């Protein structure tokens, strides 16, 4: 029934959000550890720097390059995707 589809869709959306969160946090840890933007992008499953930069900026509100230079704590950006 339609209700089952709604439940499945909700579960898939929540799983996707969790995956994005884990990837972003892993990338941030790598950048703080000295990895290049390209290394962090490839290690977290992005096929291009451009896609990685876009996703990282949506999550943290700053580009990975700026994040890497400042090496801030991800919590200082809220760790939440933009609305």
């Amino acid at each position: 029934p339609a209700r089952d589809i709604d439940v499945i869709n909700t579960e898939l959306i929540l799983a996707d959000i969790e995956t994005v969160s884990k990837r972003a946090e892993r990338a941030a840890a790598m950048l703080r550890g000295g990895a290049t933007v390209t290394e962090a992008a490839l290690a977290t499953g992005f096929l291009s720097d451009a896609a990685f930069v876009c996703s990282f900026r949506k999550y943290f509100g700053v580009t990975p390059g700026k994040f890497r230079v400042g090496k801030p704590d991800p919590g200082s950006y809220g760790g939440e995707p933009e609305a």
Side-chain angles (χ1 to χ4, degrees):
R3 181 167 160 71
D4 291 340
I5 291 172
D6 289 341
V7 170
I8 291 170
N9 284 338
T10 299
E11 289 176 4
L12 289 173
I13 290 167
L14 292 175
D16 187 47
I17 291 169
E18 184 177 341
T19 299
V20 168
S21 174
K22 286 180 182 179
R23 288 171 76 186
E25 295 296 337
R26 180 172 176 220
M30 291 183 68
L31 293 169
R32 280 194 310 278
T36 66
V37 172
T38 299
E39 289 168 341
L42 294 174
T44 53
F46 288 89
L47 299 178
S48 73
D49 286 354
F52 173 66
V53 169
C54 181
S55 180
F56 193 94
R57 184 179 9 209
K58 283 182 182 178
Y59 189 81
F60 286 110
V62 66
T63 65
K66 288 183 180 178
F67 182 94
R68 185 173 181 263
V69 171
K71 298 186 181 175
D73 176 30
S76 66
Y77 291 108
E80 296 294 330
E82 288 180 353

